[in-house]
Amino acid sequence: MSTYELYYWPTIPGRGEPVRLTFAMAEVAYRDMAREAEDGYALLLSFNAGEHPEGHPFAPPYLVIEEDGERTLHWQSAHLCDLVAARHGLYAEADRSRAASLGLTLADLMDEAHDTHHPLATGLYYEDQKDAAQVRAKHFREERIPKFLGFFESQLDDTGHLVGGRPSPVDAVLWHVREGLRHAFPKAMASFAGRWPKLDAMTIADHPPLRAYLDSEGRIPFNEDGIFRRYPELDGAVE
Amino acid sequence: MSTYELYYWPTIPGRGEPVRLTFAMAEVAYRDMAREAEDGYALLLSFNAGEHPEGHPFAPPYLVIEEDGERTLHWQSAHLCDLVAARHGLYAEADRSRAASLGLTLADLMDEAHDTHHPLATGLYYEDQKDAAQVRAKHFREERIPKFLGFFESQLDDTGHLVGGRPSPVDAVLWHVREGLRHAFPKAMASFAGRWPKLDAMTIADHPPLRAYLDSEGRIPFNEDGIFRRYPELDGAVE
């Protein structure tokens, strides 16, 4: 019997959301520690500072697994998805490497979406890098979104799945990222309508536990503090 | 019996180097396909375009594993290291997740080092983003290098290893990244001398196969087309 504690910023989907989606698909219980805490930010900051007995991780999300009285610490969002998915049989073992390759590619896309509003430094305010953000966002809309989404279109099978012919967390994260891009870049994404039909048709309706999670209070809406932020000046139609 | 084919740009260490270091530590033979090819760039571009029977990966490095007549395709640098290390017993199974968490954190550091010279778009020339590069590089030198290297200092054990008390590919990649940072930011790195004694003391001399690889022609020197580029205007002492 394992217990799972997830530690992530309590008010954004961010890099914690792929892990939450994976737990939802696995139908595995976990504690969302910073959301349960009175001061979730303080909890995260103390963990970041290496003040927890489990060790000193680099950046959230963190996962502490307790098993046979032993507590181990894990981090890096895409890796946590792989770990939870593998432990709970969400992929055939033969599909695991493909799932990891795809999951890390989605993590890269999320990083690039983040960097559209923070191209110069995560430690600087958006207002202090707005001009650079406009240049970066233009390239992201015109070159990177088509490169990434065209790639994922090529990877979806005829039933709309990425791995092993059945729903997996990689599908859920791709679905989430598509929603995030629609939130942040509604004009750009509208320009692409019809270009990637399999991606357009993706749904999570075929996975009831995932649907239940998305309809619950566990799902944090996209907002202007996370990865996918709607800044009108960073959006625009794409030819 | 497995055979391995690595596909990566033939003239830079880049994101292929962590995989080469892992093969070296494992003492496992592999073919470095683009370096064997007459036109390695054309080979990579055709693979990028999805023109190979193994499938359509996102971005190099790619690894094709042939086993029992079946060829499978894998990508994402840190994942390839994990895959090769796990297949060849470079970690105890209990240490694998920690190694993956650390390896992905090193991949993030490499991405951020790359973005110092390409903060706005990988598709734009450096000359067209030089001003933004100077802002990003300053933050990288002053905030990100200390955050990352201070973190890795905290993770090294008393024998100078990151995982399981013995040399592993994660050590080799950290060593490589430290060398890359010294190449790209000699002034900044000189300012940090003595701040992270375990990191300063890291060596690969305790692993003969790795040393042999590094002394061979297989090792491509850092140069001005890869991740770690020495642009004097992006370097500077740090207080």
Side-chain angles (χ1 to χ4, degrees):
Chain A
M1 178 68 192
S2 312
T3 61
Y4 295 104
E5 295 176 4
L6 177 68
Y7 295 79
Y8 193 68
W9 305 116
T11 55
I12 58 170
R15 293 180 178 85
E17 193 62 15
V19 190
R20 293 190 180 111
L21 293 167
T22 305
F23 276 123
M25 289 196 87
E27 297 181 78
V28 164
Y30 66 101
R31 293 184 62 188
D32 205 329
M33 301 302 282
R35 295 177 75 187
E36 292 181 18
E38 199 167 318
D39 186 342
Y41 277 85
L43 173 63
L44 259 289
L45 290 171
S46 72
F47 216 142
N48 287 354
E51 292 166 3
H52 283 252
E54 294 83 5
H56 185 180
F58 185 72
Y62 310 133
L63 188 64
V64 173
I65 304 179
E66 185 167 329
E67 203 159 31
D68 302 327
E70 199 192 352
R71 290 167 65 82
T72 55
L73 171 65
H74 314 260
W75 70 98
Q76 283 281 346
S77 176
H79 169 59
L80 301 184
C81 294
D82 173 64
L83 194 62
V84 171
R87 290 171 65 98
H88 294 282
L90 298 187
Y91 313 120
E93 185 57 29
D95 292 324
R96 185 175 176 186
S97 179
R98 172 173 166 78
S101 300
L102 289 164
L104 286 163
T105 306
L106 285 165
D108 284 348
L109 173 51
M110 280 191 269
D111 284 350
E112 293 196 23
H114 171 272
D115 286 357
T116 59
H117 49 79
H118 277 79
L120 300 184
T122 46
L124 280 180
Y125 289 113
Y126 168 62
E127 284 66 28
D128 295 330
Q129 49 191 316
K130 221 166 162 176
D131 292 345
Q134 291 192 34
V135 179
R136 178 137 188 165
K138 181 174 190 292
H139 283 272
F140 182 69
R141 295 192 312 265
E142 295 180 356
E143 294 170 20
R144 302 302 285 172
I145 291 180
K147 181 173 161 73
F148 275 103
L149 296 191
F151 168 74
F152 282 105
E153 176 76 10
S154 79
Q155 302 293 309
L156 285 163
D157 67 19
D158 291 338
T159 64
H161 300 116
L162 289 166
V163 179
R166 58 172 168 142
S168 80
V170 193
D171 296 338
V173 177
L174 175 57
W175 176 88
H176 169 76
V177 167
R178 188 198 65 181
E179 296 299 297
L181 291 171
R182 287 178 176 173
H183 170 81
F185 303 99
K187 288 183 188 165
M189 291 298 282
S191 325
F192 296 128
R195 193 185 290 198
W196 304 300
K198 289 180 187 171
L199 191 68
D200 286 349
M202 275 198 95
T203 171
I204 35 62
D206 56 353
H207 201 283
L210 187 58
R211 180 74 269 167
Y213 163 70
L214 292 167
D215 291 339
S216 76
E217 288 190 0
R219 172 76 168 179
I220 302 171
F222 293 112
N223 60 53
E224 305 322 297
D225 295 313
I227 290 173
F228 297 107
R229 303 186 192 179
R230 181 177 290 167
Y231 290 127
E233 63 276 20
L234 299 187
D235 190 18
V238 177
E239 297 278 309
Chain B
M1 179 70 192
S2 312
T3 61
Y4 295 104
E5 296 176 4
L6 177 68
Y7 294 80
Y8 193 69
W9 306 115
T11 55
I12 58 170
R15 292 181 179 85
E17 193 61 16
V19 189
R20 294 191 180 111
L21 293 167
T22 305
F23 276 123
M25 289 196 88
E27 296 181 79
V28 164
Y30 66 101
R31 293 184 62 188
D32 206 329
M33 302 300 283
R35 296 177 74 187
E36 291 181 19
E38 199 165 317
D39 187 343
Y41 277 86
L43 174 62
L44 260 289
L45 290 172
S46 71
F47 217 143
N48 286 354
E51 292 165 3
H52 283 253
E54 294 83 5
H56 186 182
F58 185 72
Y62 310 133
L63 188 65
V64 172
I65 304 179
E66 185 168 330
E67 202 159 32
D68 303 328
E70 199 192 355
R71 291 167 64 82
T72 55
L73 171 65
H74 314 259
W75 70 97
Q76 282 281 345
S77 178
H79 169 59
L80 301 184
C81 295
D82 173 65
L83 194 63
V84 171
R87 289 171 65 97
H88 295 282
L90 298 187
Y91 313 119
E93 185 57 31
D95 292 325
R96 184 175 176 186
S97 179
R98 173 173 165 78
S101 300
L102 289 164
L104 286 164
T105 306
L106 285 164
D108 283 348
L109 172 51
M110 281 190 269
D111 284 349
E112 292 195 23
H114 171 272
D115 285 357
T116 59
H117 49 80
H118 277 79
L120 300 186
T122 45
L124 279 180
Y125 289 113
Y126 168 63
E127 284 66 27
D128 295 329
Q129 48 191 315
K130 223 166 158 173
D131 292 346
Q134 291 193 33
V135 178
R136 178 135 188 167
K138 182 174 190 291
H139 282 273
F140 182 69
R141 296 192 311 267
E142 295 180 355
E143 293 171 20
R144 302 301 286 173
I145 292 179
K147 181 173 161 72
F148 275 102
L149 296 191
F151 167 75
F152 283 105
E153 175 77 10
S154 79
Q155 302 293 309
L156 286 162
D157 67 18
D158 291 338
T159 65
H161 300 116
L162 288 167
V163 179
R166 58 171 168 142
S168 80
V170 193
D171 296 338
V173 178
L174 175 57
W175 177 88
H176 169 76
V177 168
R178 188 199 65 181
E179 295 301 295
L181 291 170
R182 286 178 178 173
H183 170 80
F185 303 99
K187 289 183 188 166
M189 291 298 282
S191 325
F192 296 129
R195 194 186 289 198
W196 304 300
K198 290 181 188 172
L199 191 68
D200 286 349
M202 274 198 96
T203 172
I204 35 61
D206 55 355
H207 200 283
L210 187 59
R211 179 76 268 167
Y213 163 71
L214 292 167
D215 291 339
S216 76
E217 289 189 0
R219 171 78 170 178
I220 302 171
F222 293 112
N223 60 53
E224 307 321 298
D225 295 313
I227 291 172
F228 297 107
R229 303 187 192 179
R230 181 178 290 166
Y231 291 128
E233 63 275 19
L234 300 187
D235 190 18
V238 177
E239 297 278 309

mmCIF file of all heavy atoms in Angstrom, chain A residues 162-185:
data_model
loop_
_atom_site.group_PDB
_atom_site.id
_atom_site.type_symbol
_atom_site.label_atom_id
_atom_site.label_comp_id
_atom_site.label_asym_id
_atom_site.label_seq_id
_atom_site.Cartn_x
_atom_site.Cartn_y
_atom_site.Cartn_z
ATOM 1 N N LEU A 162 -2.924 8.601 -28.314
ATOM 2 C CA LEU A 162 -1.497 8.728 -28.620
ATOM 3 C C LEU A 162 -0.705 7.457 -28.366
ATOM 4 O O LEU A 162 0.326 7.234 -29.009
ATOM 5 C CB LEU A 162 -0.870 9.860 -27.793
ATOM 6 C CG LEU A 162 -1.254 11.297 -28.173
ATOM 7 C CD1 LEU A 162 -0.847 12.261 -27.073
ATOM 8 C CD2 LEU A 162 -0.607 11.689 -29.498
ATOM 9 N N VAL A 163 -1.139 6.678 -27.408
ATOM 10 C CA VAL A 163 -0.304 5.549 -26.953
ATOM 11 C C VAL A 163 -1.156 4.293 -26.774
ATOM 12 O O VAL A 163 -2.154 4.308 -26.042
ATOM 13 C CB VAL A 163 0.373 5.877 -25.599
ATOM 14 C CG1 VAL A 163 1.207 4.695 -25.118
ATOM 15 C CG2 VAL A 163 1.233 7.124 -25.699
ATOM 16 N N GLY A 164 -0.764 3.232 -27.440
ATOM 17 C CA GLY A 164 -1.345 1.918 -27.147
ATOM 18 C C GLY A 164 -2.808 1.746 -27.530
ATOM 19 O O GLY A 164 -3.451 0.800 -27.073
ATOM 20 N N GLY A 165 -3.341 2.661 -28.338
ATOM 21 C CA GLY A 165 -4.715 2.488 -28.811
ATOM 22 C C GLY A 165 -5.794 2.633 -27.757
ATOM 23 O O GLY A 165 -6.924 2.180 -27.933
ATOM 24 N N ARG A 166 -5.443 3.280 -26.645
ATOM 25 C CA ARG A 166 -6.460 3.466 -25.590
ATOM 26 C C ARG A 166 -6.158 4.764 -24.838
ATOM 27 O O ARG A 166 -5.050 5.292 -24.951
ATOM 28 C CB ARG A 166 -6.475 2.276 -24.644
ATOM 29 C CG ARG A 166 -5.128 2.020 -23.983
ATOM 30 C CD ARG A 166 -5.250 0.952 -22.890
ATOM 31 N NE ARG A 166 -3.951 0.487 -22.423
ATOM 32 C CZ ARG A 166 -3.688 0.198 -21.147
ATOM 33 N NH1 ARG A 166 -4.602 0.328 -20.224
ATOM 34 N NH2 ARG A 166 -2.482 -0.234 -20.789
ATOM 35 N N PRO A 167 -7.129 5.280 -24.079
ATOM 36 C CA PRO A 167 -6.898 6.542 -23.365
ATOM 37 C C PRO A 167 -5.727 6.405 -22.391
ATOM 38 O O PRO A 167 -5.599 5.382 -21.705
ATOM 39 C CB PRO A 167 -8.199 6.762 -22.585
ATOM 40 C CG PRO A 167 -9.229 5.915 -23.273
ATOM 41 C CD PRO A 167 -8.475 4.736 -23.819
ATOM 42 N N SER A 168 -4.874 7.398 -22.357
ATOM 43 C CA SER A 168 -3.754 7.396 -21.412
ATOM 44 C C SER A 168 -3.524 8.824 -20.929
ATOM 45 O O SER A 168 -4.061 9.776 -21.506
ATOM 46 C CB SER A 168 -2.489 6.860 -22.089
ATOM 47 O OG SER A 168 -1.894 7.896 -22.870
ATOM 48 N N PRO A 169 -2.707 8.981 -19.894
ATOM 49 C CA PRO A 169 -2.440 10.334 -19.388
ATOM 50 C C PRO A 169 -1.832 11.247 -20.457
ATOM 51 O O PRO A 169 -2.005 12.461 -20.379
ATOM 52 C CB PRO A 169 -1.452 10.096 -18.244
ATOM 53 C CG PRO A 169 -1.685 8.695 -17.821
ATOM 54 C CD PRO A 169 -2.085 7.945 -19.040
ATOM 55 N N VAL A 170 -1.129 10.691 -21.428
ATOM 56 C CA VAL A 170 -0.549 11.558 -22.461
ATOM 57 C C VAL A 170 -1.669 12.219 -23.267
ATOM 58 O O VAL A 170 -1.586 13.386 -23.623
ATOM 59 C CB VAL A 170 0.405 10.783 -23.387
ATOM 60 C CG1 VAL A 170 1.216 11.766 -24.217
ATOM 61 C CG2 VAL A 170 1.334 9.891 -22.598
ATOM 62 N N ASP A 171 -2.736 11.466 -23.542
ATOM 63 C CA ASP A 171 -3.913 12.077 -24.174
ATOM 64 C C ASP A 171 -4.468 13.202 -23.300
ATOM 65 O O ASP A 171 -4.809 14.276 -23.785
ATOM 66 C CB ASP A 171 -5.051 11.053 -24.351
ATOM 67 C CG ASP A 171 -4.702 9.923 -25.289
ATOM 68 O OD1 ASP A 171 -3.799 10.090 -26.125
ATOM 69 O OD2 ASP A 171 -5.347 8.863 -25.179
ATOM 70 N N ALA A 172 -4.607 12.904 -22.008
ATOM 71 C CA ALA A 172 -5.209 13.887 -21.098
ATOM 72 C C ALA A 172 -4.370 15.166 -21.065
ATOM 73 O O ALA A 172 -4.913 16.277 -21.065
ATOM 74 C CB ALA A 172 -5.351 13.300 -19.697
ATOM 75 N N VAL A 173 -3.051 15.015 -21.053
ATOM 76 C CA VAL A 173 -2.197 16.209 -20.993
ATOM 77 C C VAL A 173 -2.258 16.967 -22.317
ATOM 78 O O VAL A 173 -2.317 18.189 -22.335
ATOM 79 C CB VAL A 173 -0.750 15.834 -20.599
ATOM 80 C CG1 VAL A 173 0.140 17.064 -20.600
ATOM 81 C CG2 VAL A 173 -0.722 15.172 -19.223
ATOM 82 N N LEU A 174 -2.284 16.245 -23.431
ATOM 83 C CA LEU A 174 -2.426 16.925 -24.725
ATOM 84 C C LEU A 174 -3.755 17.682 -24.785
ATOM 85 O O LEU A 174 -3.810 18.837 -25.223
ATOM 86 C CB LEU A 174 -2.338 15.913 -25.877
ATOM 87 C CG LEU A 174 -2.597 16.480 -27.287
ATOM 88 C CD1 LEU A 174 -1.654 17.634 -27.629
ATOM 89 C CD2 LEU A 174 -2.485 15.366 -28.344
ATOM 90 N N TRP A 175 -4.815 17.051 -24.327
ATOM 91 C CA TRP A 175 -6.124 17.707 -24.279
ATOM 92 C C TRP A 175 -6.036 18.987 -23.426
ATOM 93 O O TRP A 175 -6.494 20.062 -23.832
ATOM 94 C CB TRP A 175 -7.167 16.728 -23.703
ATOM 95 C CG TRP A 175 -8.512 17.338 -23.540
ATOM 96 C CD1 TRP A 175 -9.515 17.390 -24.470
ATOM 97 C CD2 TRP A 175 -9.000 18.022 -22.380
ATOM 98 N NE1 TRP A 175 -10.596 18.069 -23.948
ATOM 99 C CE2 TRP A 175 -10.311 18.469 -22.676
ATOM 100 C CE3 TRP A 175 -8.460 18.311 -21.127
ATOM 101 C CZ2 TRP A 175 -11.084 19.179 -21.753
ATOM 102 C CZ3 TRP A 175 -9.227 19.023 -20.209
ATOM 103 C CH2 TRP A 175 -10.527 19.449 -20.529
ATOM 104 N N HIS A 176 -5.417 18.864 -22.255
ATOM 105 C CA HIS A 176 -5.263 20.002 -21.336
ATOM 106 C C HIS A 176 -4.450 21.129 -21.983
ATOM 107 O O HIS A 176 -4.794 22.306 -21.870
ATOM 108 C CB HIS A 176 -4.577 19.496 -20.059
ATOM 109 C CG HIS A 176 -4.117 20.566 -19.132
ATOM 110 N ND1 HIS A 176 -4.975 21.277 -18.325
ATOM 111 C CD2 HIS A 176 -2.870 21.068 -18.888
ATOM 112 C CE1 HIS A 176 -4.288 22.164 -17.625
ATOM 113 N NE2 HIS A 176 -3.008 22.060 -17.933
ATOM 114 N N VAL A 177 -3.377 20.768 -22.661
ATOM 115 C CA VAL A 177 -2.530 21.777 -23.301
ATOM 116 C C VAL A 177 -3.301 22.477 -24.426
ATOM 117 O O VAL A 177 -3.222 23.694 -24.590
ATOM 118 C CB VAL A 177 -1.225 21.137 -23.828
ATOM 119 C CG1 VAL A 177 -0.478 22.071 -24.751
ATOM 120 C CG2 VAL A 177 -0.336 20.715 -22.650
ATOM 121 N N ARG A 178 -4.072 21.697 -25.192
ATOM 122 C CA ARG A 178 -4.897 22.310 -26.236
ATOM 123 C C ARG A 178 -5.883 23.305 -25.603
ATOM 124 O O ARG A 178 -6.049 24.423 -26.087
ATOM 125 C CB ARG A 178 -5.673 21.219 -26.998
ATOM 126 C CG ARG A 178 -6.410 21.744 -28.212
ATOM 127 C CD ARG A 178 -7.495 20.768 -28.668
ATOM 128 N NE ARG A 178 -8.549 20.638 -27.665
ATOM 129 C CZ ARG A 178 -9.610 19.854 -27.784
ATOM 130 N NH1 ARG A 178 -9.771 19.116 -28.861
ATOM 131 N NH2 ARG A 178 -10.526 19.796 -26.820
ATOM 132 N N GLU A 179 -6.498 22.923 -24.485
ATOM 133 C CA GLU A 179 -7.401 23.854 -23.795
ATOM 134 C C GLU A 179 -6.649 25.092 -23.314
ATOM 135 O O GLU A 179 -7.150 26.211 -23.394
ATOM 136 C CB GLU A 179 -8.070 23.164 -22.589
ATOM 137 C CG GLU A 179 -8.975 22.011 -22.953
ATOM 138 C CD GLU A 179 -10.132 22.451 -23.831
ATOM 139 O OE1 GLU A 179 -10.954 23.249 -23.383
ATOM 140 O OE2 GLU A 179 -10.196 21.984 -25.005
ATOM 141 N N GLY A 180 -5.443 24.885 -22.815
ATOM 142 C CA GLY A 180 -4.641 26.008 -22.327
ATOM 143 C C GLY A 180 -4.279 26.968 -23.446
ATOM 144 O O GLY A 180 -4.321 28.190 -23.283
ATOM 145 N N LEU A 181 -3.924 26.417 -24.589
ATOM 146 C CA LEU A 181 -3.592 27.267 -25.734
ATOM 147 C C LEU A 181 -4.835 28.023 -26.200
ATOM 148 O O LEU A 181 -4.748 29.204 -26.575
ATOM 149 C CB LEU A 181 -3.012 26.420 -26.875
ATOM 150 C CG LEU A 181 -1.623 25.832 -26.602
ATOM 151 C CD1 LEU A 181 -1.246 24.833 -27.707
ATOM 152 C CD2 LEU A 181 -0.547 26.929 -26.506
ATOM 153 N N ARG A 182 -5.992 27.366 -26.156
ATOM 154 C CA ARG A 182 -7.230 28.062 -26.533
ATOM 155 C C ARG A 182 -7.538 29.187 -25.551
ATOM 156 O O ARG A 182 -8.079 30.220 -25.942
ATOM 157 C CB ARG A 182 -8.407 27.068 -26.574
ATOM 158 C CG ARG A 182 -8.357 26.148 -27.773
ATOM 159 C CD ARG A 182 -9.516 25.156 -27.733
ATOM 160 N NE ARG A 182 -9.537 24.316 -28.927
ATOM 161 C CZ ARG A 182 -10.357 23.284 -29.101
ATOM 162 N NH1 ARG A 182 -11.243 22.967 -28.161
ATOM 163 N NH2 ARG A 182 -10.308 22.569 -30.217
ATOM 164 N N HIS A 183 -7.215 28.954 -24.273
ATOM 165 C CA HIS A 183 -7.420 30.006 -23.274
ATOM 166 C C HIS A 183 -6.487 31.194 -23.529
ATOM 167 O O HIS A 183 -6.903 32.346 -23.521
ATOM 168 C CB HIS A 183 -7.169 29.450 -21.871
ATOM 169 C CG HIS A 183 -7.127 30.512 -20.812
ATOM 170 N ND1 HIS A 183 -8.262 31.061 -20.255
ATOM 171 C CD2 HIS A 183 -6.079 31.169 -20.243
ATOM 172 C CE1 HIS A 183 -7.925 31.997 -19.383
ATOM 173 N NE2 HIS A 183 -6.598 32.081 -19.349
ATOM 174 N N ALA A 184 -5.221 30.890 -23.766
ATOM 175 C CA ALA A 184 -4.212 31.962 -23.845
ATOM 176 C C ALA A 184 -4.194 32.639 -25.215
ATOM 177 O O ALA A 184 -3.909 33.838 -25.307
ATOM 178 C CB ALA A 184 -2.832 31.387 -23.528
ATOM 179 N N PHE A 185 -4.434 31.895 -26.253
ATOM 180 C CA PHE A 185 -4.294 32.408 -27.622
ATOM 181 C C PHE A 185 -5.569 32.124 -28.436
ATOM 182 O O PHE A 185 -5.511 31.427 -29.459
ATOM 183 C CB PHE A 185 -3.074 31.760 -28.301
ATOM 184 C CG PHE A 185 -1.783 31.973 -27.565
ATOM 185 C CD1 PHE A 185 -1.261 30.982 -26.740
ATOM 186 C CD2 PHE A 185 -1.092 33.187 -27.671
ATOM 187 C CE1 PHE A 185 -0.072 31.192 -26.038
ATOM 188 C CE2 PHE A 185 0.095 33.394 -26.971
ATOM 189 C CZ PHE A 185 0.610 32.395 -26.155
#
